[in-house]
Amino acid sequence: MSETVINLGFEVSVPYTQGIWKGFLGQDIVKIPSYENSSGIISNVAFITESEQFFINGSHWEAILGLGYREIAKPSSSTEPLFDSLVKQMNIRNIFSLHLCGLNGSEMAGSLILGGVDHSLHTGALEYIPIYKEWYYEVVITDIYIGETSLEMDCKEAKVVRSS
């Protein structure tokens, strides 16, 4: 654990559909090397002290930095998530993008771009999809295409996709 951690005195427990983790809310300096502010920002960090079947057993994760909305922040919605801190303290745009591309040979590949989009990672125009509910990053899917073929989903069967 970092030498600059400040324990804020709040216990945190987060159950998932698979597993649970427990720990405490703290603050620490988060450094993002590619940004001009190389000294970092002060951000809330949930430090993990114990976990059970939390995604990858034996991963020895020590903390979680939040990209979610305040409404689901732990221990309460008054806790400022990391991304909100980045927007305020580093003056980045309130947008992030994910480049999900699975395996690249035998290694996992992909990117999280904070404050914008890396246009070298895609072809064609981007389409921004409105957030369905500011809880998780939920969007409504009304149809899915495989190549040029629509699955012709009935809008009554539209599903909500969560990314958290």
Side-chain angles (χ1 to χ4, degrees):
M1 194 171 304
S2 168
E3 294 177 6
T4 56
V5 171
I6 299 170
N7 186 332
L8 298 177
F10 297 103
E11 291 185 9
V12 181
S13 176
V14 181
Y16 290 82
T17 53
Q18 176 186 337
I20 185 172
W21 65 264
K22 297 177 182 181
F24 67 91
L25 180 66
Q27 282 187 333
D28 204 353
I29 298 169
V30 176
K31 294 183 180 181
I32 313 252
S34 61
Y35 284 99
E36 294 173 9
N37 183 356
S38 60
S39 62
I41 65 163
I42 303 296
S43 182
N44 293 311
V45 181
F47 290 91
I48 299 171
T49 56
E50 61 183 279
S51 65
E52 181 179 320
Q53 296 181 337
F54 175 57
F55 293 104
I56 304 169
N57 285 331
S59 66
H60 306 291
W61 292 346
E62 294 180 353
I64 291 188
L65 299 170
L67 289 174
Y69 288 105
R70 281 182 180 260
E71 290 297 317
I72 61 170
K74 299 295 181 184
S76 76
S77 62
S78 66
T79 303
E80 184 175 78
L82 169 69
F83 191 67
D84 291 5
S85 297
L86 288 169
V87 169
K88 284 182 182 176
Q89 295 179 47
M90 297 181 82
N91 296 318
I92 66 169
R93 290 176 52 212
N94 189 8
I95 183 175
F96 66 87
S97 54
L98 297 171
H99 177 233
L100 306 174
C101 48
L103 291 174
N104 183 4
S106 62
E107 295 186 19
M108 295 297 290
S111 303
L112 168 64
I113 297 97
L114 302 171
V117 175
D118 182 342
H119 294 285
S120 71
L121 298 174
H122 69 90
T123 58
L126 287 177
E127 183 173 339
Y128 291 89
I129 301 169
I131 298 296
Y132 174 71
K133 180 180 178 186
E134 290 188 4
W135 179 256
Y136 292 91
Y137 292 96
E138 295 181 355
V139 295
V140 175
I141 296 176
T142 58
D143 202 354
I144 296 175
Y145 283 80
I146 300 176
E148 300 292 322
T149 305
S150 167
L151 297 182
E152 299 180 16
M153 296 173 59
D154 184 342
C155 286
K156 291 182 265 177
E157 296 177 18
K159 303 296 180 196
V160 175
V161 176
R162 292 183 178 179
S163 178
S164 57

